[in-house]
PDB file of all heavy atoms in Angstrom:
ATOM      1  N   LEU A 218      -4.473 -14.735 -32.058  1.00  0.00           N
ATOM      2  CA  LEU A 218      -3.131 -14.391 -31.588  1.00  0.00           C
ATOM      3  C   LEU A 218      -2.547 -15.488 -30.703  1.00  0.00           C
ATOM      4  O   LEU A 218      -1.335 -15.726 -30.712  1.00  0.00           O
ATOM      5  CB  LEU A 218      -3.179 -13.064 -30.814  1.00  0.00           C
ATOM      6  CG  LEU A 218      -1.855 -12.512 -30.279  1.00  0.00           C
ATOM      7  CD1 LEU A 218      -0.926 -12.140 -31.432  1.00  0.00           C
ATOM      8  CD2 LEU A 218      -2.111 -11.290 -29.402  1.00  0.00           C
ATOM      9  N   PHE A 219      -3.409 -16.183 -29.946  1.00  0.00           N
ATOM     10  CA  PHE A 219      -2.922 -17.222 -29.040  1.00  0.00           C
ATOM     11  C   PHE A 219      -2.426 -18.450 -29.800  1.00  0.00           C
ATOM     12  O   PHE A 219      -1.728 -19.290 -29.241  1.00  0.00           O
ATOM     13  CB  PHE A 219      -4.023 -17.616 -28.051  1.00  0.00           C
ATOM     14  CG  PHE A 219      -4.382 -16.527 -27.089  1.00  0.00           C
ATOM     15  CD1 PHE A 219      -5.637 -15.938 -27.131  1.00  0.00           C
ATOM     16  CD2 PHE A 219      -3.465 -16.064 -26.163  1.00  0.00           C
ATOM     17  CE1 PHE A 219      -5.972 -14.922 -26.248  1.00  0.00           C
ATOM     18  CE2 PHE A 219      -3.791 -15.053 -25.285  1.00  0.00           C
ATOM     19  CZ  PHE A 219      -5.039 -14.467 -25.326  1.00  0.00           C
ATOM     20  N   VAL A 220      -2.792 -18.541 -31.080  1.00  0.00           N
ATOM     21  CA  VAL A 220      -2.289 -19.626 -31.924  1.00  0.00           C
ATOM     22  C   VAL A 220      -1.054 -19.169 -32.693  1.00  0.00           C
ATOM     23  O   VAL A 220      -0.007 -19.816 -32.655  1.00  0.00           O
ATOM     24  CB  VAL A 220      -3.385 -20.103 -32.901  1.00  0.00           C
ATOM     25  CG1 VAL A 220      -2.832 -21.188 -33.823  1.00  0.00           C
ATOM     26  CG2 VAL A 220      -4.598 -20.622 -32.131  1.00  0.00           C
ATOM     27  N   THR A 221      -1.179 -18.026 -33.366  1.00  0.00           N
ATOM     28  CA  THR A 221      -0.076 -17.548 -34.207  1.00  0.00           C
ATOM     29  C   THR A 221       1.129 -17.088 -33.397  1.00  0.00           C
ATOM     30  O   THR A 221       2.258 -17.128 -33.887  1.00  0.00           O
ATOM     31  CB  THR A 221      -0.556 -16.390 -35.086  1.00  0.00           C
ATOM     32  OG1 THR A 221      -1.033 -15.311 -34.252  1.00  0.00           O
ATOM     33  CG2 THR A 221      -1.673 -16.838 -36.008  1.00  0.00           C
ATOM     34  N   GLY A 222       0.905 -16.639 -32.154  1.00  0.00           N
ATOM     35  CA  GLY A 222       2.010 -16.113 -31.357  1.00  0.00           C
ATOM     36  C   GLY A 222       2.553 -17.070 -30.330  1.00  0.00           C
ATOM     37  O   GLY A 222       3.423 -16.697 -29.530  1.00  0.00           O
ATOM     38  N   ALA A 223       2.074 -18.313 -30.332  1.00  0.00           N
ATOM     39  CA  ALA A 223       2.497 -19.271 -29.313  1.00  0.00           C
ATOM     40  C   ALA A 223       3.989 -19.550 -29.363  1.00  0.00           C
ATOM     41  O   ALA A 223       4.610 -19.863 -28.340  1.00  0.00           O
ATOM     42  CB  ALA A 223       1.708 -20.576 -29.473  1.00  0.00           C
ATOM     43  N   GLN A 224       4.602 -19.420 -30.567  1.00  0.00           N
ATOM     44  CA  GLN A 224       6.029 -19.702 -30.683  1.00  0.00           C
ATOM     45  C   GLN A 224       6.891 -18.656 -29.985  1.00  0.00           C
ATOM     46  O   GLN A 224       8.102 -18.874 -29.797  1.00  0.00           O
ATOM     47  CB  GLN A 224       6.436 -19.790 -32.166  1.00  0.00           C
ATOM     48  CG  GLN A 224       6.440 -18.479 -32.914  1.00  0.00           C
ATOM     49  CD  GLN A 224       5.076 -18.137 -33.481  1.00  0.00           C
ATOM     50  OE1 GLN A 224       4.077 -18.802 -33.158  1.00  0.00           O
ATOM     51  NE2 GLN A 224       5.015 -17.130 -34.320  1.00  0.00           N
ATOM     52  N   ASN A 225       6.299 -17.527 -29.621  1.00  0.00           N
ATOM     53  CA  ASN A 225       7.064 -16.476 -28.935  1.00  0.00           C
ATOM     54  C   ASN A 225       7.221 -16.736 -27.443  1.00  0.00           C
ATOM     55  O   ASN A 225       7.916 -15.984 -26.760  1.00  0.00           O
ATOM     56  CB  ASN A 225       6.372 -15.112 -29.119  1.00  0.00           C
ATOM     57  CG  ASN A 225       6.367 -14.671 -30.565  1.00  0.00           C
ATOM     58  OD1 ASN A 225       7.345 -14.861 -31.283  1.00  0.00           O
ATOM     59  ND2 ASN A 225       5.261 -14.070 -31.002  1.00  0.00           N
ATOM     60  N   LEU A 226       6.591 -17.783 -26.950  1.00  0.00           N
ATOM     61  CA  LEU A 226       6.613 -18.073 -25.516  1.00  0.00           C
ATOM     62  C   LEU A 226       7.556 -19.223 -25.199  1.00  0.00           C
ATOM     63  O   LEU A 226       7.705 -20.167 -25.977  1.00  0.00           O
ATOM     64  CB  LEU A 226       5.205 -18.431 -25.012  1.00  0.00           C
ATOM     65  CG  LEU A 226       4.239 -17.295 -24.718  1.00  0.00           C
ATOM     66  CD1 LEU A 226       3.857 -16.537 -25.974  1.00  0.00           C
ATOM     67  CD2 LEU A 226       2.993 -17.836 -23.997  1.00  0.00           C
ATOM     68  N   THR A 227       8.174 -19.155 -24.035  1.00  0.00           N
ATOM     69  CA  THR A 227       8.918 -20.292 -23.509  1.00  0.00           C
ATOM     70  C   THR A 227       7.922 -21.290 -22.922  1.00  0.00           C
ATOM     71  O   THR A 227       6.757 -20.946 -22.675  1.00  0.00           O
ATOM     72  CB  THR A 227       9.895 -19.847 -22.415  1.00  0.00           C
ATOM     73  OG1 THR A 227       9.141 -19.362 -21.290  1.00  0.00           O
ATOM     74  CG2 THR A 227      10.814 -18.749 -22.927  1.00  0.00           C
ATOM     75  N   PRO A 228       8.342 -22.517 -22.669  1.00  0.00           N
ATOM     76  CA  PRO A 228       7.413 -23.484 -22.056  1.00  0.00           C
ATOM     77  C   PRO A 228       6.823 -22.988 -20.737  1.00  0.00           C
ATOM     78  O   PRO A 228       5.645 -23.203 -20.460  1.00  0.00           O
ATOM     79  CB  PRO A 228       8.288 -24.729 -21.863  1.00  0.00           C
ATOM     80  CG  PRO A 228       9.309 -24.630 -22.958  1.00  0.00           C
ATOM     81  CD  PRO A 228       9.603 -23.154 -23.086  1.00  0.00           C
ATOM     82  N   GLN A 229       7.644 -22.318 -19.934  1.00  0.00           N
ATOM     83  CA  GLN A 229       7.141 -21.801 -18.659  1.00  0.00           C
ATOM     84  C   GLN A 229       6.116 -20.686 -18.879  1.00  0.00           C
ATOM     85  O   GLN A 229       5.108 -20.611 -18.180  1.00  0.00           O
ATOM     86  CB  GLN A 229       8.296 -21.287 -17.806  1.00  0.00           C
ATOM     87  CG  GLN A 229       9.070 -22.362 -17.076  1.00  0.00           C
ATOM     88  CD  GLN A 229       8.276 -22.979 -15.937  1.00  0.00           C
ATOM     89  OE1 GLN A 229       7.594 -22.305 -15.182  1.00  0.00           O
ATOM     90  NE2 GLN A 229       8.341 -24.307 -15.829  1.00  0.00           N
ATOM     91  N   GLN A 230       6.347 -19.811 -19.851  1.00  0.00           N
ATOM     92  CA  GLN A 230       5.402 -18.724 -20.115  1.00  0.00           C
ATOM     93  C   GLN A 230       4.084 -19.242 -20.674  1.00  0.00           C
ATOM     94  O   GLN A 230       3.035 -18.634 -20.468  1.00  0.00           O
ATOM     95  CB  GLN A 230       6.026 -17.728 -21.093  1.00  0.00           C
ATOM     96  CG  GLN A 230       7.153 -16.900 -20.499  1.00  0.00           C
ATOM     97  CD  GLN A 230       7.858 -16.061 -21.544  1.00  0.00           C
ATOM     98  OE1 GLN A 230       7.950 -16.435 -22.718  1.00  0.00           O
ATOM     99  NE2 GLN A 230       8.381 -14.917 -21.122  1.00  0.00           N
ATOM    100  N   GLY A 231       4.128 -20.357 -21.362  1.00  0.00           N
ATOM    101  CA  GLY A 231       2.914 -20.928 -21.922  1.00  0.00           C
ATOM    102  C   GLY A 231       2.151 -21.820 -20.966  1.00  0.00           C
ATOM    103  O   GLY A 231       1.041 -22.260 -21.271  1.00  0.00           O
TER     104      GLY A 231
END
Side-chain angles (χ1 to χ4, degrees):
L218 182 65
F219 293 114
V220 177
T221 59
Q224 71 274 10
N225 295 321
L226 279 66
T227 66
Q229 280 289 318
Q230 289 173 329

